[in-house]
Amino acid sequence: MSAAANICPHPVDTRTPRVPETLAYSLTLPAALASPAVARSAARTILEAHGLHDVTAAAIQVIGELAACACLFTPSDSVYLSLRYRDDALRISLYDGHPRHAHRRLAAACDGRRRSVLLLLACVMHACDGDWGFGESPEPGGGTRLWAVLPHAGARAYGRAA
């Protein structure tokens, strides 16, 4: 074996198994019309790499809806997607740069508009027995955090029905 082979290990990481419990990814996407499709494609690859084929149908629908909403509302040029698998559920978060309105009526109108954009998401989450919502982002820079918790069993059942 050459000296270079001893110094530079093979690039494949065999120390971290690709199982659901190690799923932890984050992506920054442009706030563009194509970004929901990019988010769905990346998520499909990630889920399959971690052996979560059975939740893909529901997850892709949820991620697409959240990404579309974030891209629609953000005044900035990017949105941030986070995928984690914890406690037998896929946890999806999207952050956009749209700040909460200080005026009560403006905030209520904006929340109502966001909810109307997310009607399909609400139906999917109901079918999967999941939970979702949105609110002020605790992250530096503020904005809005949209989130969904997709239980494995509910997403699997949704996929079978589809």
Side-chain angles (χ1 to χ4, degrees), residues 66-146:
L66 289 173
C69 183
C71 288
L72 177 67
F73 277 81
T74 191
S76 64
D77 55 0
S78 63
V79 296
Y80 176 79
L81 168 66
S82 171
L83 302 172
R84 304 280 184 268
Y85 191 87
R86 303 288 181 273
D87 302 322
D88 210 26
L90 181 64
R91 298 168 188 282
I92 305 159
S93 297
L94 262 125
Y95 297 87
D96 67 45
H98 184 67
R100 296 289 297 167
H101 296 281
H103 191 277
R104 183 176 49 86
R105 285 189 191 145
L106 281 176
C110 189
D111 288 353
R113 185 169 168 232
R114 212 180 265 270
R115 273 190 210 88
S116 69
V117 168
L118 294 169
L119 283 175
L120 180 57
L121 169 77
C123 294
V124 173
M125 293 307 294
H126 178 75
C128 294
D129 199 27
D131 197 14
W132 70 279
F134 59 87
E136 187 170 0
S137 173
E139 300 298 316
T144 300
R145 175 180 173 253
L146 301 99

